[in-house]
Amino acid sequence: MADFSWDVRSPLDRALVAGPYGAQGEAGVSLTEIRDFDLVQVMARRGKAGEMIKAARTHFGIAAPETPKAIGTTDATLIWSGPDQFLVLSKGGRHTMDRLAPVFAGSASLSDQSHARALISVSGDKARAMLAKLSSIDLHPDVFPVGTAAATSMDHTSVTLWRGQDRADGQAVFDLLVFATFTESLWHTILDSAAEYGVTIGHSEDLA
């Protein structure tokens, strides 16, 4: 029997070309693919939501988000993804499924999404204008401040969207988790929507 060796590749391995794109001049949108992360979906078992939240507080030092929020800890981000469920985004193997399984034993079911999703960071002074072409979510800072999250769709593609910490220059940062199967298609749609503003494209092998 032949031996197979599977290489783990980004869903954007072929599509992402680092550098400038679209209109020339100062770029209004920055797109960065974040790689090398751990992502675990935590879903409360029937009647166990309270126990799940308590377990999260014990492990992370904060309660799991019960409303559309993204909450940062010292080494992870907990992202609301629906009623009685949230995502744990981390790096360095600190919060893998194997490590979280005993934490939520009896209170929640876990699903490893580390290689099932792509993570795209969108920033720049035209980020909101570009995202407004693709989503019906109101991203005005008065209603979508830092830490706000949403389970929504962009161009008919399901995404988990949240606003991260602002850049050093004060520009807003929006993070998108996209199912791997649809990432390349959505990436091209994002590029088309951002082209008029000028785009800087890059990728990071690690979480910021």
Side-chain angles (χ1 to χ4, degrees):
M1 181 180 293
D3 292 330
F4 291 94
S5 177
W6 300 100
D7 293 329
V8 178
R9 296 184 179 180
S10 160
L12 294 176
D13 189 60
R14 295 179 303 175
L16 189 152
V17 179
Y21 180 86
Q24 297 181 356
E26 186 174 355
V29 176
S30 177
L31 299 176
T32 304
E33 184 203 7
I34 309 299
R35 300 181 180 179
D36 189 26
F37 59 85
D38 296 306
L39 184 69
V40 178
Q41 179 98 41
V42 182
M43 299 160 285
R45 294 181 179 175
R46 182 174 298 179
K48 301 288 186 178
E51 292 182 25
M52 178 191 72
I53 292 168
K54 183 178 179 180
R57 183 185 293 277
T58 299
H59 182 71
F60 294 106
I62 60 172
E66 298 180 69
T67 58
K69 300 287 184 183
I71 304 172
T73 74
T74 56
D75 57 6
T77 302
L78 310 185
I79 309 152
W80 180 90
S81 58
D84 299 331
Q85 59 183 287
F86 64 97
L87 294 157
V88 179
L89 177 66
S90 63
K91 63 179 181 179
R94 296 185 183 94
H95 301 290
T96 62
M97 186 163 164
D98 287 343
R99 289 178 177 244
L100 291 177
V103 174
F104 294 102
S107 67
S109 298
L110 307 184
S111 174
D112 190 345
Q113 298 289 306
S114 303
H115 301 300
R117 309 280 185 104
L119 177 56
I120 301 171
S121 180
V122 182
S123 60
D125 62 356
K126 296 298 183 181
R128 285 189 181 88
M130 184 276 288
L131 291 171
K133 298 180 180 182
L134 305 175
S135 173
S136 60
I137 296 291
D138 185 352
L139 299 176
H140 190 279
D142 289 345
V143 295
F144 207 89
V146 171
T148 305
T152 184
S153 64
M154 290 188 173
D155 193 43
H156 308 291
T157 301
S158 296
V159 301
T160 300
L161 163 69
W162 73 97
R163 184 174 166 192
Q165 294 296 321
D166 292 347
R167 297 191 324 197
D169 61 4
Q171 295 294 340
V173 176
F174 300 94
D175 294 307
L176 306 174
L177 276 172
V178 189
F179 284 104
T181 306
F182 303 106
T183 300
E184 186 171 341
S185 175
L186 183 60
W187 177 260
H188 289 300
T189 301
I190 290 172
L191 286 180
D192 289 345
S193 299
E196 66 171 299
Y197 308 118
V199 187
T200 298
I201 303 171
H203 60 77
S204 168
E205 296 296 336
D206 210 345
L207 279 170

